Amino acid sequence: MKALLLENIHSEATRILTEAGLEVDARPGALGEDELIEALQGVSLVGIRSATHLTERVIQSCPDLIAAGCFCIGTNQVNLGAAANAGVPVFNAPYSNTRSVVELAIGEIISLARRLNEKNRLMHEGVWDKSAAGSHEVRGRTLGIVGYGNIGAQLSVLAESLGMSVIFYDIADKLALGNARRCESLDELLAEADVVTLHVDGRAANKDFFGEAQFEMMKDRAIFLNLSRGHVYDVDALVRHLKSGHIAGAGLDVFPTEPKKAGSPFSSELQNIPNVILTPHVGGSTKEAQVDIGRFVAGKLLDHVNTGGTQMSVNVPQINTEPFEGTRVLHMHHNVPGVMARLNNVFANHDGNITFQTLSTRGTIGYAITDVSGEHPNLQHELAELEETIRVRVI
């Protein structure tokens, strides 16, 4: 089997897959749609980060692909429905870089409150600006977290340990940690928070959800952070509120349009505005996080190759597998009545003694794993002929 890893995925992933016997092609940058289709011919596994997009056309044009790994938290760069309909499970790393993103957020909150980036710039220019003007402690100030998932919740705990009061808003019902308080609406949070930080996912519905109206509702001289996704905020509106002085500072790690490769030119209206920290989408880019991500996602891909496991897949039914003996049949199918009876009828016609079988469903997709004693070379072909079959693989 071959694997293609793009966008500087950590060498730990290459090591794990190579030692398992796969031929790994690791490349530093992202690929466009046509380039990706060409590169994926004959490839079984693909690993990407946020700049490469697995579109419906890519997935349909690459029939050899059996699994995809997003070596990051987000999966909005993948057409998850198209992947599921092709029987391609998609895995991500929802926890591995959480601490790294949280530490960057904490560092930016302190730096912006103390205006350290401005002091640093002036010192390099030879200016001794010893002044407390506009500089504040974070202790006693209110942090408003929009999106109380893994990152938002951990940030909540660390911010509280610094003496901040924490409020949060999430569309889902989330348990508040420590003394954090849930807001009933985003408007309520914006009216109270001295610092507003976004930690929402990249779903299409979140595009431009934080715009002119939301910036207008923020407290005078509040601070704004976005370390989530570049399309969730209105850059032009943020620039207006920064230049007017309504917003005292901002920390941005993500942008609506980002270069595909390190070292590429970058341009934004946010450049050269006082008390604005711009970082090149490095929230999770620490050595510790990248090692953990490489190990975790590569392990999930390898588990699917070797056992058919889909535990923690984001788009297909999840099955946690065990080691097996004999023949294991992996059958992804349309979830319709009678499909398991037809599946087992094929096994019966081959005198296959079923030693283990499990089924999991997710919406319109069903996934059955069946262990059969002995070898049955014609099983895969006959199961592929079933009308309900999406993909069948025998290991």
Side-chain angles (χ1 to χ4, degrees):
M1 284 188 176
K2 296 181 180 180
L4 175 65
L5 302 181
L6 301 173
E7 304 182 64
N8 281 321
I9 289 170
H10 196 274
S11 59
E12 181 72 359
T14 299
R15 182 192 66 79
I16 290 171
L17 296 176
T18 301
E19 289 182 358
L22 278 77
E23 179 183 332
V24 180
D25 178 7
R27 306 188 189 184
L31 294 179
E33 192 175 54
D34 291 336
E35 295 174 301
L36 187 57
I37 290 173
E38 181 179 355
L40 284 176
Q41 299 309 305
V43 172
S44 301
L45 303 176
V46 64
I48 63 174
R49 294 176 75 182
S50 57
T52 301
H53 291 260
L54 293 181
T55 64
E56 182 175 11
R57 177 171 169 251
V58 169
I59 293 165
Q60 291 179 347
S61 301
C62 303
D64 297 313
L65 191 64
I66 64 172
C70 296
F71 286 73
C72 52
I73 294 178
T75 58
N76 58 294
Q77 68 275 41
V78 180
N79 188 319
L80 297 177
N85 289 330
V88 177
V90 177
F91 301 94
N92 69 334
Y95 310 113
S96 299
N97 66 358
T98 300
R99 179 70 183 203
S100 295
V101 178
V102 168
E103 287 190 3
L104 179 60
I106 290 289
E108 291 194 350
I109 290 169
I110 294 173
S111 180
L112 291 166
R114 295 293 301 273
R115 306 187 77 88
L116 297 181
N117 55 318
E118 289 184 278
K119 301 292 186 184
N120 176 68
R121 176 180 57 80
L122 289 171
M123 288 290 285
H124 281 282
E125 294 174 356
V127 178
W128 185 264
D129 181 30
K130 184 173 173 22
S131 168
S135 181
H136 301 276
E137 293 183 353
V138 299
R139 180 181 57 173
R141 296 172 77 82
T142 299
L143 173 64
I145 301 174
V146 183
Y148 205 67
N150 299 321
I151 292 173
Q154 188 171 149
L155 175 59
S156 171
V157 173
L158 291 188
E160 193 170 293
S161 71
L162 293 174
M164 300 188 79
S165 298
V166 178
I167 57 178
F168 70 91
Y169 172 72
D170 198 296
I171 58 174
D173 190 13
K174 297 293 183 68
L175 175 67
L177 300 181
N179 294 314
R181 174 172 61 83
R182 177 189 178 89
C183 292
E184 294 302 318
S185 68
L186 179 58
D187 292 1
E188 178 187 347
L189 180 143
L190 297 177
E192 296 183 38
D194 298 301
V195 180
V196 175
T197 180
L198 306 186
H199 299 283
V200 298
D201 61 39
R203 70 185 71 178
N206 282 337
K207 180 176 172 56
D208 291 333
F209 96 94
F210 206 98
E212 176 63 36
Q214 287 70 40
F215 286 118
E216 182 66 34
M217 282 187 281
M218 288 176 62
K219 291 175 65 175
D220 189 44
R221 304 301 292 168
I223 289 170
F224 174 78
L225 273 71
N226 182 19
L227 285 75
S228 58
R229 283 292 179 265
H231 66 266
V232 304
Y233 71 115
D234 185 334
V235 172
D236 292 335
L238 174 58
V239 169
R240 286 193 296 272
H241 285 268
L242 284 165
K243 289 184 174 180
S244 73
H246 173 223
I247 293 177
L252 294 314
D253 187 49
V254 288
F255 307 89
T257 302
E258 298 180 359
K260 290 185 177 296
K261 296 181 180 180
S264 298
F266 170 75
S267 178
S268 171
E269 302 92 327
L270 290 159
Q271 290 169 316
N272 301 313
I273 300 176
N275 208 31
V276 172
I277 299 174
L278 305 179
T279 50
H281 206 146
V282 293
S285 295
T286 60
K287 289 184 177 180
E288 295 84 356
Q290 292 307 305
V291 169
D292 287 344
I293 291 170
R295 182 181 299 124
F296 182 85
V297 180
K300 289 298 179 184
L301 293 173
L302 203 55
D303 181 53
H304 184 67
V305 167
N306 291 333
T307 71
T310 54
Q311 189 67 22
M312 294 188 70
S313 168
V314 298
N315 68 322
V316 301
Q318 296 191 21
I319 295 180
N320 191 18
T321 53
E322 299 290 340
F324 67 98
E325 295 181 359
T327 299
R328 173 163 287 181
V329 180
L330 315 175
H331 191 258
M332 202 84 69
H333 53 266
H334 297 291
N335 185 23
V336 295
V339 64
M340 289 302 294
R342 288 184 283 278
L343 177 68
N344 287 331
N345 187 54
V346 174
F347 291 131
N349 290 339
H350 280 262
D351 295 324
N353 179 33
I354 296 176
T355 59
F356 170 83
Q357 187 172 63
T358 187
L359 168 70
S360 181
T361 61
R362 180 174 181 159
T364 62
I365 307 295
Y367 183 39
I369 295 181
T370 306
D371 292 349
V372 185
S373 59
E375 297 183 3
H376 304 275
N378 296 321
L379 263 179
Q380 184 164 347
H381 174 74
E382 291 194 27
L383 290 172
E385 294 298 314
L386 292 178
E387 182 179 353
E388 301 86 356
T389 297
I390 294 174
R391 162 166 277 172
V392 59
R393 186 161 65 93
V394 176
I395 54 179

